[in-house]
Amino acid sequence: MIIFGAGGDLTRRKLMPALFRLAGAGMLADDFTVLGVAREAMDDDLFRAAIRTALEQFLPPEEATKEALDKFVPRLHYVAGDFAEAATYAAVQERLTVLETGRPADGGRLFYLAIPPSVYATAIDHLAQSGVARRLYAQSDRPWVRVIIEKPFGSSLESAQALNGVVRRAFSEHQIYRIDHYLGKETVQNLLVCRFANSIFEPLWNRQHIHHVQITAVETVGVERRGRYYEEAGVVRDMFQNHLLQLLTLTAMEPPVTFSADAVRDEKAKVLHAIRPITPATMHEYSVRGQYGPGTIDGSAVRGYRTEPDVSPDSGTATYAAVRFMIDNWRWQGVPFYLRSAKRMPRRATEIAIQFRQPPHLMFPLRDGEAFEPNVLAIRVQPNEGISLRFEVKTPGVDVRMASVEMDFNYVEAFGDNGHEAYETLILDCMLGDATLFTRSDEVEAAWSVVDPMIEFWGHKAPDHFPNYAAGTWGPSVADEWIHALGCRWRQP
Ligand code: NDP
Ligand code: BG6
């Protein structure tokens, strides 16, 4: 595995811990080797020391033991170089030739582009031209060449199309793995099993029975040290174009014929194509945006977005967005999908909540102050991974009174742990040649078509009311008013 950007945050925080765990679980071949590439001048020993420190920092001490680290780090190697220079690829090729000498002929090369998006095209062009990932080598299945490309894949439909063009000139589609780490999360995959391996949910999974769907991905963290990136991206590019729309497609898609990459991705793409376009004239009916000001998270005072490092003091970038998507197809006509994502919320939570319609007539009288709650199936993606179903029961007593209760499946209680981290699952899938949990070019482009009009509209119309929510609160009051006016209310996951 050749990691471009081996000195970066993603490599240290996610990729190396994932590889370390896969190695520990015996899921990597004994001669599996990593070649890291980045600009910083380091030799193998310095690189190994840096990754050892990162693993100690990002894994619990009982996992990152001296013994396990001593076993893992000798697999790591390093080449320094700039991705804009041909000499870097010559050095990579030279090093790979040495590393691959004496190995079985069926080993593959997996390139992981953990580099800034501005460098993707340059690196991919050079990879193809230098022969390090040449097509000839790539065409037979063994040995194979695959490339994982990080998000964001483009910053608009136009740029994503251009990047797809660059990638396809260098690789065939079956070699390209566009990663969206939400697809590797256990509970996201469980959504598919829940829908398609049971017979009780699917008959209800449509406009006859579902009132609306809420998909939430909120975080307590702010933009941390990614102010420069976030100023360009904002919440819609950062979370909606990829993670949230992916969750929507899995929730809304028709049953694929098989659990294979193209069958699943065909169905997901159809959902994206069926989303009703949002136009400048309808923006206010379909969306609300916000930006956090100073506030309190977990008892500590935190700064507002506009005073974060590398953020403009009068920034108009949204850190909160709520959007109502309508899917114009037979199954979902008239059912709103409310998608919401934000930074600096009171809790970190990602969930998909399916709210069912209420019974057409309620024969039980409600007393003053009593409410009648609709049934909700909530798929908790993180934390506290699991699935719960809320329904009404009679409370004990001589008269008929109702209360809501929850039937709950909790991953840890049922299985002892939460399964693999997303990056473990996805890296392994790529090594095995299974692209089901990666996004195809048409999906990526369709998702950009959905969000581009919003980004464009908000880009032209600077908000005069930012910041409009305090860090540590559930977002701007206008978002509550907006959803109330549409006959719903936000869940607090
Ligand atoms: P960093 O800026 O932390 O790391 C970038 C890496 O790329 C560094 O190792 C840097 O090395 C190297 N690099 C940059 N330009 C060049 C160049 N011209 N030649 C050689 N090396 C270069 O970024 P992240 O790790 O945070 O992000 C990497 C990718 O992953 C991005 O596309 C990002 O959007 C994506 N991503 C990151 C997430 C995260 O949590 N960090 C989450 C989801 C996606 P050096 O400094 O030595 O030049
Ligand atoms: C990344 C976004 O893709 O996902 C970040 O760029 C966000 O802004 C992160 O914090 C959330 O991922 P997770 O797995 O922590 O929910």
Side-chain angles (χ1 to χ4, degrees):
M1 180 165 168
I2 302 99
I3 303 181
F4 281 15
D9 179 69
L10 184 73
T11 302
R12 290 184 301 109
R13 249 173 2 98
K14 298 287 183 187
L15 306 186
M16 286 297 173
L19 291 172
F20 177 82
R21 284 189 161 149
L22 288 173
M27 292 170 127
L28 299 180
D30 287 342
D31 54 359
F32 172 81
T33 300
V34 175
L35 179 62
V37 192
R39 274 181 303 213
E40 193 182 340
M42 279 190 279
D43 59 13
D44 287 355
D45 285 341
L46 278 175
F47 181 56
R48 288 171 186 167
I51 298 302
R52 180 185 272 272
T53 307
L55 292 170
E56 283 167 345
Q57 184 183 353
F58 294 114
L59 288 170
E62 64 276 14
E63 272 190 73
T65 60
K66 182 176 179 310
E67 192 191 1
L69 290 168
D70 285 349
K71 218 165 145 194
F72 179 73
V73 294
R75 292 165 177 263
L76 311 178
H77 304 264
Y78 187 81
V79 165
D82 193 309
F83 295 125
E85 290 169 11
T88 304
Y89 303 83
V92 168
Q93 178 62 61
E94 198 180 313
R95 206 52 198 282
L96 286 175
T97 307
V98 174
L99 290 171
E100 288 172 347
T101 302
R103 288 171 184 244
D106 62 354
R109 286 184 182 179
L110 165 53
F111 292 90
Y112 199 121
L113 303 192
I115 51 179
S118 55
V119 192
Y120 289 164
T122 310
I124 291 163
D125 274 341
H126 273 290
L127 268 177
Q129 284 159 17
S130 65
V132 180
R134 66 183 180 277
R135 276 195 99 120
L136 191 63
Y137 180 66
Q139 266 165 0
S140 67
D141 274 348
R142 286 174 182 276
W144 49 261
V145 171
R146 296 182 191 127
V147 60
I148 298 184
I149 304 173
E150 260 300 337
K151 68 155 279 243
F153 194 93
S155 55
S156 62
L157 173 60
E158 202 184 347
S159 58
Q161 283 170 331
L163 182 58
N164 271 327
V166 170
V167 185
R168 279 205 223 92
R169 276 199 298 280
F171 298 96
S172 312
E173 184 65 33
H174 75 270
Q175 297 176 282
I176 307 167
Y177 289 70
R178 297 171 193 81
I179 201 162
D180 184 315
H181 75 280
Y182 268 53
L183 294 179
K185 291 183 189 276
E186 280 288 341
T187 325
V188 173
Q189 295 166 71
N190 212 354
L191 169 62
L192 296 182
V193 176
C194 183
R195 281 192 63 189
F196 302 128
N198 295 295
S199 57
I200 54 173
F201 298 118
E202 206 47 27
L204 305 177
W205 213 264
N206 56 49
R207 64 189 298 277
Q208 265 82 39
H209 302 284
I210 293 177
H211 182 263
H212 73 273
V213 176
Q214 286 188 26
I215 301 180
T216 301
V218 292
E219 308 176 274
T220 52
V221 291
V223 288
E224 314 286 280
R225 51 179 200 87
R226 296 168 77 208
R228 192 164 296 124
Y229 153 77
Y230 204 85
E231 279 283 89
E232 291 290 314
V235 65
V236 176
R237 284 195 179 98
D238 190 45
M239 295 293 288
F240 277 72
Q241 187 274 340
N242 34 74
H243 309 322
L244 270 86
L245 282 178
Q246 284 296 321
L247 297 182
L248 178 144
T249 59
L250 295 175
T251 309
M253 73 180 183
E254 296 302 314
V257 178
T258 56
F259 190 45
S260 64
D262 277 334
V264 171
R265 297 187 297 181
D266 284 349
E267 296 307 334
K268 284 163 61 195
K270 283 184 208 162
V271 174
L272 291 167
H273 289 299
I275 291 179
R276 187 179 303 164
I278 298 178
T279 62
T282 57
M283 272 295 281
H284 66 286
E285 292 171 39
Y286 284 94
S287 60
V288 178
R289 62 179 156 164
Q291 185 192 77
Y292 63 84
T296 308
I297 298 271
D298 292 334
S300 304
V302 296
R303 56 174 78 189
Y305 176 71
R306 288 178 173 184
T307 57
E308 299 276 17
D310 300 323
V311 170
S312 154
D314 57 356
S315 170
T317 301
T319 59
Y320 174 107
V323 184
R324 178 168 61 107
F325 288 108
M326 302 302 292
I327 301 174
D328 287 332
N329 65 14
W330 197 274
R331 186 190 283 258
W332 293 116
Q333 193 54 238
V335 179
F337 282 67
Y338 294 101
L339 271 53
R340 172 177 53 151
S341 182
K343 296 213 179 274
R344 289 292 192 217
M345 295 270 110
R347 272 201 294 281
R348 173 180 186 243
T350 301
E351 72 156 29
I352 301 163
I354 315 293
Q355 182 166 320
F356 292 92
R357 290 187 184 283
Q358 298 207 327
H361 167 67
L362 186 66
M363 64 179 186
F364 307 108
L366 291 176
R367 282 135 183 111
D368 278 352
E370 269 184 353
F372 177 57
E373 295 294 331
N375 300 135
V376 175
L377 181 72
I379 294 138
R380 295 189 304 273
V381 175
Q382 63 189 19
N384 192 21
E385 288 81 348
I387 301 175
S388 65
L389 178 64
R390 184 176 76 191
F391 57 100
E392 296 294 288
V393 295
K394 177 187 171 304
T395 56
V398 286
D399 51 356
V400 177
R401 292 195 163 222
M402 288 178 295
S404 300
V405 291
E406 292 206 342
M407 225 158 38
D408 198 46
F409 151 67
N410 179 293
Y411 253 87
V412 176
E413 278 171 25
F415 300 117
D417 69 29
N418 287 329
H420 290 289
E421 284 283 324
Y423 278 94
E424 294 171 47
T425 304
L426 295 173
I427 291 172
L428 195 63
D429 276 4
C430 178
M431 288 180 190
L432 296 171
D434 182 353
T436 310
L437 299 177
F438 292 81
T439 49
R440 208 169 50 190
S441 58
D442 55 336
E443 276 183 84
V444 173
E445 291 177 13
W448 279 118
S449 308
V450 170
V451 297
D452 263 2
M454 287 194 295
I455 293 170
E456 209 167 296
F457 181 82
W458 280 347
H460 286 134
K461 200 171 172 310
D464 48 20
H465 52 281
F466 276 7
N468 60 353
Y469 69 97
T473 65
W474 283 101
S477 54
V478 61
D480 296 334
E481 291 152 20
W482 172 75
I483 200 166
H484 288 165
L486 291 161
C488 302
R489 64 173 194 266
W490 292 119
R491 281 171 55 81
Q492 291 200 350

